[in-house]
């Protein structure tokens, strides 16, 4: 339908049923629906469905607003109830982890543990992520520069190169990351050259994109006066100096102009791993 009528918006119900937090389903649904132009999913999240009563409540809404059902339900009785309900009403439903689990089971020659929320266990990896998030907030925007000696990754870049959100994303992956802004006329902290542990990455972007983001930022702050902060020539010079400095220091450089935070972080992690593999 969408190919014949490319300008028609399609709205449809998506029910995400999980006996855990439902984050896996939300991420998969967003990634999948993004591939269909003009398709808008009306999300209904049924999380922590761990009793028959909660399942029946979810089924009531699914029945009243039929669409597509994605689910991760471990309990066999509740899973069977959901599948039977959808089959009787011809509502498309899929257990999103089944293909992956089946493939891994065949490869490993092992059976799954069938534990609700197994991926959310409060293990060492979980606490490492919490510690990394605390670290990112304490070492954001040039704070506590001396503490960056303990960082895994340090990001450098002019204003509006997405340093902070990238550090937060890296922290969610368990990496201790901090960032230092490049300010015109202000040298980098000398102590940075003494650090041996952090992997340092320079972030750059097209001057036009930086100006656009800065203008939006000032508009959000209701500041409309023309300043050097959004002057095209000044911003172009900032970027030139940043690139020259990164080259001189031998830092890895990533252009974030057309990259999402996730893509930038993934590239940083790949560079980080390659660097440590070469040591």
């Amino acid at each position: 339908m969408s190919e014949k009528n490319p300008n028609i918006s399609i709205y449809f119900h998506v029910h995400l049923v999980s006996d855990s937090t439902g984050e896996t389903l939300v991420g998969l649904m967003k990634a999948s629906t993004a591939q269909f132009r003009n398709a808008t999913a009306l999300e209904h999240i049924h999380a922590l469905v761990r009793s028959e009563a909660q399942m029946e409540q979810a089924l009531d809404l699914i029945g009243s607003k039929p669409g597509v059902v994605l689910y991760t339900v471990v309990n066999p009785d509740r899973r069977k109830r959901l599948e039977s309900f959808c089959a009787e009403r011809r509502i498309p439903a899929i257990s999103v982890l089944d293909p992956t689990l089946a493939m891994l089971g065949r490869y490993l020659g092992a059976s799954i543990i069938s534990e609700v929320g197994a991926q959310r266990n409060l293990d060492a990896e979980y606490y490492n992520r919490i510690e990394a998030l605390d670290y990112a907030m304490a070492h954001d925007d040039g704070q506590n520069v001396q503490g960056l000696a303990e960082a895994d990754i340090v990001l450098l870049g002019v204003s509006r190169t997405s340093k902070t959100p990238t550090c937060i994303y890296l922290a969610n992956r368990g990496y201790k990351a901090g960032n230092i802004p490049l300010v015109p006329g202000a040298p980098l902290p000398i102590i940075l050259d003494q650090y041996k542990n952090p992997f340092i990455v320079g972030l750059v972007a097209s001057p036009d994109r930086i100006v656009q983001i800065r203008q939006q930022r000032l508009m959000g702050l209701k500041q409309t006066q023309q300043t050097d902060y959004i002057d095209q020539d000044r911003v172009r010079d900032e970027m030139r100096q940043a690139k020259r400095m990164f080259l001189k220091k031998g830092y890895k450089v990533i252009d974030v102009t057309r990259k999402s935070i996730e893509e930038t972080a993934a590239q940083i992690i790949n560079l980080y791993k390659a660097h440590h593999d070469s040591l």
Side-chain angles (χ1 to χ4, degrees):
M1 180 185 298
S2 59
E3 292 180 354
K4 294 180 180 179
N5 302 283
N7 297 319
I8 295 178
S9 295
I10 303 172
Y11 294 86
F12 63 104
H13 295 287
V14 177
H15 295 271
L16 310 175
V17 185
S18 175
D19 44 22
S20 187
T21 63
E23 290 182 27
T24 300
L25 293 170
V26 171
L28 178 63
M29 186 277 299
K30 289 187 181 299
S32 299
T33 54
Q35 299 301 314
F36 296 89
R37 186 177 295 125
N38 298 332
T40 301
L42 305 176
E43 296 177 34
H44 305 282
I45 302 175
H46 313 274
L48 303 175
V49 178
R50 297 178 179 175
S51 71
E52 282 65 31
Q54 290 171 322
M55 177 58 77
E56 292 303 320
Q57 185 177 7
L59 296 180
D60 285 343
L61 185 57
I62 293 171
S64 65
K65 297 182 178 179
V68 176
V69 176
L70 307 181
Y71 63 95
T72 54
V73 178
V74 171
N75 180 273
D77 293 331
R78 288 191 284 275
R79 175 180 170 130
K80 184 177 180 180
R81 172 70 176 125
L82 173 62
E83 291 171 342
S84 299
F85 180 92
C86 292
E88 290 169 3
R89 290 158 180 77
R90 298 190 178 185
I91 296 173
I94 183 171
S95 177
V96 300
L97 293 181
D98 277 6
T100 302
L101 293 175
M103 179 270 291
L104 287 175
R106 289 192 298 270
Y107 180 76
L108 298 172
S111 57
I112 64 174
I113 61 175
S114 296
E115 180 181 334
V116 174
Q119 76 276 24
R120 300 293 171 190
N121 282 343
L122 302 184
D123 53 13
E125 184 180 349
Y126 174 84
Y127 288 110
N128 285 341
R129 290 200 302 271
I130 296 301
E131 183 181 355
L133 282 168
D134 289 340
Y135 186 91
M137 298 308 296
H139 297 82
D140 180 45
D141 204 31
Q143 297 182 78
N144 191 15
V145 174
Q146 290 191 339
L148 290 175
E150 304 301 321
D152 296 314
I153 299 166
V154 173
L155 303 183
L156 307 177
V158 304
S159 172
R160 303 296 112 186
T161 46
S162 302
K163 298 182 297 298
T164 296
T166 304
C167 281
I168 297 298
Y169 189 91
L170 288 169
N172 272 296
R173 295 289 302 274
Y175 295 92
K176 287 185 177 179
N179 68 83
I180 300 176
L182 300 183
V183 180
L188 276 177
I190 297 177
I191 195 172
L192 197 62
D193 292 327
Q194 302 171 12
Y195 294 155
K196 297 187 178 173
N197 183 53
F199 179 63
I200 301 175
V201 178
L203 302 183
V204 299
S206 73
D208 289 344
R209 178 60 176 158
I210 293 296
V211 169
Q212 180 185 25
I213 296 173
R214 289 183 180 182
Q215 287 174 332
Q216 291 172 349
R217 165 77 170 163
L218 292 179
M219 287 174 61
L221 297 174
K222 301 191 183 305
Q223 296 179 13
T224 57
Q225 68 272 27
Q226 187 71 22
T227 67
D228 290 344
Y229 185 66
I230 53 175
D231 181 81
Q232 286 275 0
D233 292 334
R234 292 296 184 100
V235 173
R236 195 170 289 109
D237 187 55
E238 276 186 64
M239 197 58 64
R240 254 196 312 264
Q241 291 184 38
K243 290 180 178 178
R244 191 178 301 126
M245 187 268 288
F246 295 154
L247 180 63
K248 179 180 178 181
K249 297 283 188 180
Y251 298 150
K252 295 294 184 181
V253 178
I254 295 178
D255 189 329
V256 303
T257 304
R258 298 184 180 278
K259 285 187 174 65
S260 66
I261 300 301
E262 294 84 355
E263 290 171 326
T264 300
Q267 188 172 350
I268 291 170
I269 291 171
N270 287 340
L271 290 172
Y272 174 84
K273 289 180 176 177
H275 170 73
H276 278 269
D277 288 345
S278 67
L279 296 178

